[in-house]
Amino acid sequence: MNQTTCNIAVIRGDGIGGDVTDAALAVIEAARVRTGGFRLACDDLAAGAACFRETGRDMAPGAEEACDRSDAILLGAIGLPSVRHTDGTEISPHLRLRERFQLYAGVRPVKAYPNAPRRLADPRAAAIDLVILRESTEGLFHTAAATGREIVQTDDEVEDVLRITRATSEKLFDFAFRLAEKRRQRGGKGAVTCVDKANVFRSMAFFRKVFDERKAAFPDIAVSYNYVDAQALDLIRRPWEFDVLVMENMFGDILSDLAGGLVGGMGMAACAEVGDAQALFQPAHGSAPDIMGRDSANPLAAILSGALMLDYLADKAGGHQGLADAAALIEAAVERGFEADRLRPMEFGGDMGTRAMTREVIGIIGEA
Ligand code: ATP
């Protein structure tokens, strides 16, 4: 197998970000030792609230350009409640990276693991395995404060703009269908649900129209539609029936947290943000300042985000077997670890902190 070097921009960030990033990198290294065929060249970049407090900049000089040169970005967490810009907004260089690289596809896998907490009593909840695919560059966030775009505001009224473009929607839907195809090869349902509010908003009717145009190119994927309010209900009533759910930015923001809550806590929520030429991988949780420095954070969201990164790099390298196998090894180790009750995160009342969890995942990979 050819030896591929992947250049990774690593941003540990704030709070528990450093601990969970170290966990992800250690687990990736254990998987790499098993599969071979690649190495990661990591470029550590300072960014975040602590960086801002110490230097007056939210990213070290040259860090954004270093991200340009990398094959992927691995991020821990950004933000500290005590550190803000003078206008009161949070330090958020990662949102700038999302803009810079047009990371339109926000991927949030939601999977039930054995022995991990479940919020639904129905035994079928054990089969929850879906992805919330959130468009992440436009929609109702088009004029959000973080984008710096103009909004209409007087002392009497204010408007935000919900923007849907054909170009981004086409890419988003193609991504959704390809993701469903890939998941089907791994035993998934091969289905995409378009979640919208096409009965009320012209923007959403347009979203659905583009979805219908793109689905023709993927005849093997089953499609369905759901209004967002009905989808919220169905995520409680029958979440095990869904596969890939694709939606506008704001809808995805809300439903991804709801869906994540069905299968545990923030410490399980992995996330990928993917664009045409770059992608950023980070746990969906924040810097959790309330538990920082205690070795109690659940590192699995970061570890599973690391697996998503390897999978992305495998595709980017034209189907690299070592990278794909390493991703699969990590996912299987987490599954087996929960099954055998060997992964008991403190987040769920267990006795294992960040380092113990990381060691256990590495141990399971070593036994594979
Ligand atoms: P942000 O706005 O950046 O998302 P936040 O404060 O809203 O930040 P988090 O930092 O994710 O959200 O923290 C929310 C709660 O979840 C906190 O009580 C935190 O301790 C907990 N939490 C977050 N991540 C983890 C983790 N990996 N392990 C255990 N608990 C976590």
Side-chain angles (χ1 to χ4, degrees), residues 151-171:
I151 56 168
V152 176
Q153 178 158 16
T154 69
D155 215 22
D156 298 313
E157 62 174 287
V158 59
E159 280 176 18
D160 285 303
V161 174
L162 195 163
R163 184 164 197 258
I164 303 287
T165 67
R166 168 175 289 282
T168 302
S169 301
E170 286 183 350
K171 288 194 290 190

Side-chain angles (χ1 to χ4, degrees), residues 16 78 266-267 285-291 297-298 347:
I16 63 170
I78 297 272
M266 293 309 291
H285 59 72
S287 61
D290 53 331
I291 57 166
N298 182 355
E347 185 187 19

Side-chain angles (χ1 to χ4, degrees), residues 59 67 94 117 145 150 205-206 234 264:
M59 288 187 89
C67 290
H94 50 308
E150 277 301 297
F206 179 70
D234 284 340

